[in-house]
Amino acid sequence: DTLSARAAECEAARRLPADLAREMSEAGMFRLITPASLNGLEATPLEFMQVLEALAKANASASWCAMIACTSTLSAAYMDEETAAEIFGDPDVIAGGIFAPMGKAVMDGDDYIVNGRWQWGSGSANCQWIGGGAMIEGTKDARMFFFPSGDVELHDTWHVAGLKGTGSGDMSVTNA
């Protein structure tokens, strides 16, 4: 009922209001497919789709943001346990991003320095961690990198006709 009642507000704001995102997070809507070892609900693909469908009937933008936040946690399967726990371990954390390798990463010892700008950072304004795909310089490899939200600049580029409430503007990092 809350999502339906606030759909017009989300559309007008062009993003999910922070209190609504927090309420959805506390209800587990962003942790549906996160592994149980990281405080997730480990929903099956069918359960995940059924929840997204129910959310979309109430508020399509909220459902889209839940889908992005949930699928972002799939990256945990490709991380070492310590890194996955740092990013996804807090049960109330909201993560998002886009895998499209629009960024560039340069090796710096055991780390990478990433620069890039990505389109369609759905829900990013409410995220504590934001991911972006990047090509590794000198290779044909692409990887997903996660950044604390404070390291990411959000750009107000989301002026569309549908799914306005997703806040899917551009995002960028510089030497992150």
Side-chain angles (χ1 to χ4, degrees):
D1 292 339
T2 300
L3 291 177
S4 291
R6 297 189 65 187
E9 176 188 353
C10 294
E11 294 287 300
R14 297 182 297 116
R15 61 168 282 192
L16 288 183
D19 68 304
L20 184 57
R22 188 171 40 258
E23 189 175 335
M24 289 177 67
S25 178
E26 290 168 356
M29 295 298 100
F30 301 138
R31 314 275 305 161
L32 293 168
I33 56 177
T34 304
S37 63
L38 294 170
N39 302 303
L41 301 175
E42 273 191 32
T44 67
L46 178 59
E47 292 167 333
F48 176 53
M49 296 308 287
Q50 289 170 330
V51 171
L52 291 179
E53 180 181 21
L55 291 173
K57 287 178 180 177
N59 184 322
S61 292
S63 179
W64 184 264
C65 288
M67 182 272 302
I68 294 295
C70 289
T71 57
S72 293
T73 66
L74 291 176
S75 297
Y78 302 96
M79 297 177 178
D80 64 71
E81 290 180 19
E82 185 178 318
T83 303
E86 178 185 354
I87 296 171
F88 303 111
D90 179 345
D92 293 324
V93 74
I94 303 172
I98 182 161
F99 182 77
M102 297 177 199
K104 294 184 180 174
V106 177
M107 295 233 20
D108 183 34
D110 291 336
D111 295 319
Y112 293 92
I113 298 173
V114 181
N115 288 282
R117 183 170 175 140
W118 297 265
Q119 297 173 309
W120 313 301
S122 302
S124 294
N126 294 309
C127 293
Q128 289 83 34
W129 288 89
I130 302 173
M135 296 299 299
I136 308 300
E137 183 180 68
T139 75
K140 294 182 180 182
D141 294 335
R143 292 199 183 158
M144 181 78 159
F145 293 88
F146 279 88
F147 313 98
S149 60
D151 292 350
V152 180
E153 183 177 356
L154 302 179
H155 305 274
D156 186 13
T157 57
W158 193 241
H159 303 278
V160 296
L163 290 176
K164 290 180 187 177
T166 63
S168 300
D170 291 6
M171 55 190 206
S172 64
V173 297
T174 304
N175 295 326

